[in-house]
Amino acid sequence: MASGSCLSAQRNTLKVVGSRLDNALRRRCAHVRFPYRAAATAETEYRTSCSLCGVRNPPRLGKRSRPAKKDWQRCFAVATSIDVQHAEVGDFVQVHYTGTLEDGSVFDSSLERDPLEFEIGGGKVIPGFDDAVLGLAEGEKHKQLVPAERAYGEWREDMTAKVPAADAPAELQEGVQVQLSNGLQAIVAEVTREHVVIDANHALAGKDLTFEVELVKLQKPANLELATFAGGCFWGPELAFQRVPGVVSTSVGYTNGNTPDPTYDEVCSGTTGHAEAVQVKYDPKQTDYKQLLKVFLQQHDPTSLNKQGGDTGSQYRSGLYFHTPEQRQIAEEVMAEAASSYEDPIVTEMADVNGFTSAESYHQQYLERGGRFGRAQSAEKGCDDPIRCYG
């Protein structure tokens, strides 16, 4: 068996407890090359022969000792019945990473902050970062070169614009980040007396990147629950939910309207009947729906009809949209209890969720990414910094 085959089996490995057993395994099969590790299958049932070489006899622990315990009287191919899970598309993960450029310089790292949380294939990270995490088990590390086309794409001339200086704000300076009318973030690349050059390419566009990643936590979607909240402009509520321990994913969008797949402009017209909403995926072992309702009430005024702050229109209504009968029951109890805390009656719409269309990409995690003024706000778990609604 080639050493490459042994290495490929390493990903499906489980730790074997005890050096004496490990030594015995080494005597039985030359394919045990990793101290205290034994090749394992993805199934939970024991096998009776080595998956690499076919050795069938269980090892003994020495001349004077009896055969290994019953659980160990199997080939080293499976030393325990624990099923090792590996990251797949649709899984929710926490990942520590360090990103470097071709010259070895570090452009980003999570090692001094919370690990990055995202859904594999959910579009929050670049495709090449998804690639680096796929197939890993908790605790495993991997280093991957990500070409530009799987990172931030090639640098494009059509993503730049030259504007006459007379038409540009006088305070613009080179290197300043600005937001375009379509929501894209751009950099002022050049300022002269005659013109201003705006570059909407990502700062890492055209560059090959290397990521060293470690899978800290893996959660299968079947173990998570979903909730949908509407509390005015969705930027602020989303950041509030991002900060809740146990929330693994948030997405802003449009719900409970009359037309399929609306755009932001259509929703803002007030003709589609949709509410701006935040959809939250959370781990019920770490938080619960009642706790999320408390965050919902803290982030907006549930007595204000079709209006939150300076935002007016039915798309800014207060709403709770249920995925299960249990959510409805809990919400009715919590809102009835909360009513005494307000002078005016609560006008929150409560209904079963009826469709959810994800908003345009520039709206997602908007305040975390800098908001309208390019000033990023923390989404770290437990953060209680005041939320600036527009950035």
Side-chain angles (χ1 to χ4, degrees):
M1 180 71 68
S3 60
S5 299
C6 291
L7 290 173
S8 65
Q10 186 181 15
R11 186 157 292 176
N12 288 329
T13 60
L14 297 173
K15 188 172 291 186
V16 177
V17 180
S19 60
R20 294 175 65 194
L21 177 61
D22 180 65
N23 291 335
L25 294 177
R26 285 178 177 274
R27 288 194 294 271
R28 296 300 302 170
C29 174
H31 293 132
V32 181
R33 300 189 178 204
F34 309 104
Y36 302 96
R37 298 179 75 85
T41 62
E43 296 81 13
T44 59
E45 295 185 358
Y46 292 115
R47 296 178 57 176
T48 58
S49 63
C50 172
S51 60
L52 299 180
C53 70
V55 169
R56 299 184 64 87
N57 296 327
R60 301 177 70 88
L61 298 183
K63 294 181 179 179
R64 296 184 179 180
S65 61
R66 292 177 295 176
K69 293 180 180 180
K70 184 177 180 180
D71 287 349
W72 289 349
Q73 289 182 354
R74 308 286 180 182
C75 171
F76 73 86
V78 176
T80 178
S81 62
I82 298 175
D83 185 13
V84 177
Q85 295 181 322
H86 297 90
E88 302 173 317
V89 172
D91 290 345
F92 292 85
V93 294
Q94 294 181 11
V95 176
H96 269 310
Y97 67 92
T98 298
T100 55
L101 302 174
E102 289 181 293
D103 62 3
S105 60
V106 175
F107 65 84
D108 192 16
S109 175
S110 69
L111 298 183
E112 295 185 359
R113 58 179 187 264
D114 289 341
L116 176 65
E117 293 186 334
F118 63 98
E119 177 187 358
I120 298 179
K124 183 178 179 179
V125 299
I126 58 174
F129 199 89
D130 281 334
D131 298 341
V133 177
L134 280 171
L136 294 182
E138 285 187 359
E140 286 193 327
K141 299 180 180 181
H142 179 59
K143 185 175 182 179
Q144 179 142 336
L145 174 65
V146 177
E149 60 267 21
R150 297 289 290 172
Y152 295 96
E154 300 295 342
W155 190 88
R156 293 166 47 186
E157 182 71 32
D158 61 354
M159 293 289 286
T160 66
K162 183 180 290 187
V163 182
D167 296 337
E171 66 272 13
L172 286 183
Q173 298 178 355
E174 289 186 10
V176 172
Q177 186 179 61
V178 295
Q179 185 178 25
L180 306 182
S181 59
N182 62 1
L184 285 176
Q185 300 291 328
I187 294 292
V188 179
E190 182 182 350
V191 178
T192 70
R193 292 182 178 180
E194 292 77 27
H195 62 259
V196 173
V197 176
I198 304 296
D199 187 353
N201 284 286
H202 193 278
L204 296 173
K207 299 181 184 297
D208 295 339
L209 310 175
T210 297
F211 287 100
E212 295 185 54
V213 300
E214 178 185 3
L215 181 55
V216 177
K217 187 173 183 179
L218 170 63
Q219 291 178 295
K220 295 295 181 180
N223 300 326
L224 304 176
E225 296 184 7
L226 188 64
T228 301
F229 305 90
C233 173
F234 42 34
W235 295 336
E238 181 184 34
L239 183 60
F241 286 121
Q242 285 179 272
R243 293 174 171 180
V244 177
V247 169
V248 300
S249 175
T250 60
S251 176
V252 298
Y254 319 113
T255 192
N256 283 57
N258 305 316
T259 60
D261 303 323
T263 65
Y264 179 67
D265 289 339
E266 290 171 344
V267 171
C268 286
S269 73
T271 61
T272 71
H274 289 83
E276 289 195 14
V278 184
Q279 202 158 78
V280 178
K281 290 182 181 178
Y282 63 97
D283 182 353
K285 294 180 180 179
Q286 298 185 55
T287 191
D288 57 28
Y289 188 63
K290 182 176 290 188
Q291 178 60 36
L292 296 180
L293 286 171
K294 292 180 181 179
V295 176
F296 167 74
L297 289 171
Q298 292 168 355
Q299 288 303 308
H300 83 302
D301 180 3
T303 69
S304 181
L305 182 64
N306 297 335
K307 184 178 185 297
Q308 293 294 321
D311 297 322
T312 303
S314 62
Q315 70 270 28
Y316 299 116
R317 65 185 181 269
S318 173
L320 292 170
Y321 304 106
F322 309 119
H323 295 262
T324 67
E326 291 76 18
Q327 286 186 353
R328 178 183 286 274
Q329 180 180 349
I330 294 170
E332 290 174 348
E333 293 173 356
V334 169
M335 299 302 281
E337 182 179 343
S340 61
S341 302
Y342 299 93
E343 294 183 1
D344 298 321
I346 289 177
V347 294
T348 300
E349 179 180 46
M350 294 197 287
D352 291 342
V353 66
N354 179 23
F356 181 86
T357 300
S358 291
E360 294 78 357
S361 60
Y362 64 85
H363 285 300
Q364 306 299 331
Q365 295 82 50
Y366 183 73
L367 297 183
E368 180 189 7
R369 294 185 295 105
R372 183 171 294 176
F373 306 110
R375 297 182 296 163
Q377 300 182 59
S378 174
E380 289 192 6
K381 300 303 183 187
C383 177
D384 59 0
D385 292 345
I387 294 176
R388 304 185 302 272
C389 294
Y390 300 102

